[in-house]
Amino acid sequence: DIQVTQSPSSLSASVGDRVTITCRASQDLSNYLAWYQQKPGKVPKLLIYATSTLQSGVPSRFSGSGSGTDFTLTISSLQPEDVATYYCQKYNSAPYTFGQGTRLEIK
Amino acid sequence: EVQLVESGGGLVQPGGSLRLSCAASGFIFSTYSMNWVRQAPGKGLEWVSFIMSSSSAMFYADSVKGRFTISRDNAKNSLYLQMNSLRAEDTAVYYCAPGVGWPPRLEHWGQGTLVTVSS
């Protein structure tokens, strides 16, 4: 099975900072990589799919990039409401493995 | 509006069984693949199982293979997860989520149902 490694596991940044989270797969995902945001006590929310396609209603400060095995979620200007845990997920084929998660806090 | 309501969770002893249900509405259930995803308390998301719209194929995480069975009833707009030989490490909130597109991404999630495996 393809392994998915997400980093960092936690991150603290200031409002307005540019934040980057990475996800690395052990094999080519053909760009079928999604990012989810889960706020405390809430259900996960799809942010980005197919590496870089922004889900409807998601603020444009979120973006995704990458190809093959290396992917990045970027928040261009961190806002207080972005405090959450972020997960990547490979969905090119089963098993549809999630990354370990990145807990994002405001400094 | 898509609505997904999971039920059937509760407290069960190790080695026991439980059947989860997910009642779906607001979309044409019979045309969507479906997934179960779980989250242990304070832990990350773990994909558990997938079923095609026609039940023609099912997939499982290695951690549940041989113990859990996913099924669906398109006439009742319902998804199920039969969980046998439950272990403490199966304790989690279980979410159902339709797969959108192919390959399937998870655009909508239910609120989840808590399964606690403990003696």
Side-chain angles (χ1 to χ4, degrees):
Chain A
D1 291 345
I2 298 175
Q3 306 304 310
V4 175
T5 304
Q6 187 177 338
S7 62
S9 57
S10 64
L11 178 56
S12 182
S14 300
V15 172
D17 281 355
R18 183 181 183 88
V19 170
T20 299
I21 299 169
T22 63
C23 187
R24 174 166 288 177
S26 58
Q27 296 179 35
D28 190 336
L29 300 183
S30 301
N31 289 345
Y32 292 117
L33 190 284
W35 292 96
Y36 298 83
Q37 175 193 63
Q38 187 177 31
K39 295 185 177 181
K42 300 296 186 181
V43 171
K45 172 187 173 182
L46 177 65
L47 293 178
I48 289 169
Y49 62 95
T51 299
S52 60
T53 302
L54 206 63
Q55 176 68 357
S56 176
V58 173
S60 59
R61 64 180 179 273
F62 291 91
S63 65
S65 63
S67 65
T69 60
D70 293 307
F71 303 90
T72 299
L73 171 69
T74 299
I75 307 173
S76 61
S77 178
L78 185 65
Q79 300 301 304
E81 59 266 31
D82 299 335
V83 169
T85 300
Y86 294 83
Y87 297 91
C88 62
Q89 184 203 22
K90 65 164 284 289
Y91 64 104
N92 60 315
S93 62
Y96 302 128
T97 310
F98 287 91
Q100 297 83 355
T102 296
R103 178 175 291 184
L104 177 58
E105 299 176 338
I106 299 291
K107 194 180 294 182
Chain B
E1 179 191 1
V2 172
Q3 287 201 324
L4 302 153
V5 180
E6 300 92 339
S7 61
L11 176 63
V12 60
Q13 292 189 338
S17 298
L18 213 53
R19 188 196 196 205
L20 304 184
S21 298
C22 169
S25 61
F27 64 104
I28 305 174
F29 180 77
S30 62
T31 65
Y32 284 78
S33 61
M34 294 294 296
N35 297 265
W36 287 101
V37 177
R38 69 183 181 183
Q39 186 168 35
K43 302 297 184 182
L45 301 172
E46 181 185 13
W47 172 81
V48 173
S49 186
F50 165 94
I51 186 168
M52 290 285 282
S53 59
S54 61
S55 302
S56 58
M58 290 83 81
F59 304 119
Y60 300 92
D62 285 346
S63 58
V64 307
K65 202 172 293 182
R67 300 187 299 122
F68 289 12
T69 301
I70 191 171
S71 63
R72 63 191 295 159
D73 186 336
N74 286 345
K76 295 183 177 180
N77 289 346
S78 293
L79 175 72
Y80 307 102
L81 187 67
Q82 177 67 44
M83 303 186 296
N84 298 331
S85 303
L86 282 162
R87 306 166 180 168
E89 55 264 35
D90 296 319
T91 295
V93 174
Y94 285 74
Y95 300 100
C96 66
V100 176
W102 189 262
R105 59 190 184 268
L106 308 181
E107 288 189 2
H108 305 282
W109 298 63
Q111 291 300 309
T113 186
L114 176 62
V115 172
T116 303
V117 184
S118 175
S119 55

